[in-house]
Structure formats: C-alpha cells, structure tokens
Amino acid sequence: MINRIRDIRRQKGLTLADVAARCDPPTTAQTIGRLETGMRSLSLVWMNRIGAALGVEPQLLVKADEDTPARLVARLGTQGAEALAKPMDAILPVALDGSARLMAMVVDASAGEYRAGDQVWIRQIEPEDFARAFNRDILAPRPGGRFAFGRLIDHRDGRIALLPPGAGQRQVIIDRPAWLGLAEMLVRKL
C-alpha cells in the first residue's frame, strides 16, 4: 500500500501543523510527518483521525501499489492553464466509470464559469476521438510542457482551435496535439 496523506494534505493547502491541530485529540506536526513518510506505522486508528482532520474518507489515505491514480497536472490561473511543477495524485470525491486516463486541473483564479477552488476532472482522449470533444471544454498539451484550456471550436487538418474561458480571451490554435483532455466533471465546494 502507498501512503497518500502528503498528497491530500498538500492538495488541501494544509501544513503538517494544521493537520496535527485538527486531529482529535490534537497531535504534533512531527507525528503527522512520520505517518506521511512511513517512519511510523499507519494504523486504522490513525487513518480515522487523519481522515477526519483532512475531511476525507480514511480509505483515501492509502492506495494499492499497482493502481494508476488520476493525476493533478494543471492549474488554471489569470494567465491561462499552466502545468504544475510536479504533478500529484488527484483525490476524486466520487467514482467515474473507467477511471483510467483521468487527470484533474485545479482552478486558481475565476475564469468564465469556473471559480477559484474548482477542480475540473478530465479524461484523456486520442486524436481519432477529437470530434466528440467539439463544443466542449478541453485541456490541450502544448510544446514545452505547457497547456491550453478552453472550448474546442474547430478541428481541421490536425489543428485544433479553442476559446479560453472568460471575456476578452483570444482563440488558441494548437497544431497536432498528441491527445486532448475532455472535461467530464466539475467539483466545486459549496
């Protein structure tokens, strides 16, 4: 089993001390750090305490070694979609059919219908399936490890055109992307 406490904690923007203080009863940041790194055994009692502190089901804190998790790969900010410095496991609140090839993007700054704090869950599709993404929001890889995000408005001769969310944005043209990420689910805190 692989411990996912650190990924979940970082995704929620919490420090070791924050999680330690949220535990019932409170513990130390050092203890949480040891549980994250595996230097201390993660018992069922600790899974329940840390799961409650992070606001997730305890079973999300670990995963099987052979699972290929969905990855948080991009961030949508004021300058558009940006690649994360280091992709991390994305925590899916509900099951989607066929979880293979899932990715997620977090929204840092509101743009169009997307609000800061939203997560957009994306399914990777191959070039032969690009037509089914027409008039849908997509994440497209660009050269240099960058991304573009927006509504797919044209697909012709291997080129795609997309319109980023938000007023006043200019159309983006990408030549022969290897894949597209079709937005399938929006996760928004209430």
Side-chain angles (χ1 to χ4, degrees):
M1 297 299 263
I2 296 174
N3 183 323
R4 301 171 76 187
I5 297 171
R6 179 176 286 149
D7 284 340
I8 295 169
R9 177 181 59 79
R10 286 181 176 167
Q11 188 173 337
K12 291 183 173 280
L14 299 172
T15 65
L16 291 170
D18 293 335
V19 176
R22 289 179 175 199
C23 282
D24 185 22
T27 187
T28 65
Q30 184 179 21
T31 298
I32 300 299
R34 287 180 176 160
L35 289 162
E36 277 187 0
T37 59
M39 292 179 68
R40 183 169 179 174
S41 179
L42 185 61
S43 68
L44 188 55
V45 170
W46 275 112
M47 284 179 62
N48 288 329
R49 285 177 69 186
I50 294 173
L54 291 171
V56 299
E57 294 296 321
Q59 64 267 24
L60 290 177
L61 299 178
V62 294
K63 66 179 178 179
D65 293 337
E66 67 275 356
D67 285 351
T68 304
R71 304 293 284 166
L72 188 59
V73 297
R75 193 176 288 285
L76 182 62
T78 57
Q79 302 300 313
E82 304 170 352
L84 293 179
K86 181 181 177 194
M88 63 178 88
D89 288 355
I91 309 306
L92 186 61
V94 297
L96 286 177
D97 292 336
S99 62
R101 305 177 72 151
L102 282 179
M103 298 174 266
M105 177 180 72
V106 65
V107 178
D108 273 349
S110 296
E113 62 192 49
Y114 298 98
R115 297 182 198 156
D118 286 351
Q119 282 186 1
V120 181
W121 283 81
I122 297 164
R123 183 175 311 279
Q124 183 177 328
I125 60 173
E126 301 302 320
E128 58 270 13
D129 294 325
F130 286 1
R132 77 175 211 200
F134 187 72
N135 206 27
R136 302 266 311 268
D137 286 343
I138 60 158
L139 180 71
R142 299 182 78 183
R146 298 176 302 141
F147 292 98
F149 180 76
R151 181 75 37 114
L152 181 63
I153 57 174
D154 194 15
H155 173 241
R156 210 178 303 164
D157 300 324
R159 286 186 168 171
I160 64 159
L162 58 95
L163 189 60
Q169 298 291 322
R170 298 178 67 185
Q171 174 178 302
V172 177
I173 307 289
I174 302 172
D175 192 30
R176 303 189 193 298
W179 55 270
L180 293 178
L182 180 61
E184 285 199 358
M185 183 171 68
L186 173 67
V187 179
R188 177 174 288 158
K189 288 184 180 179
L190 297 177

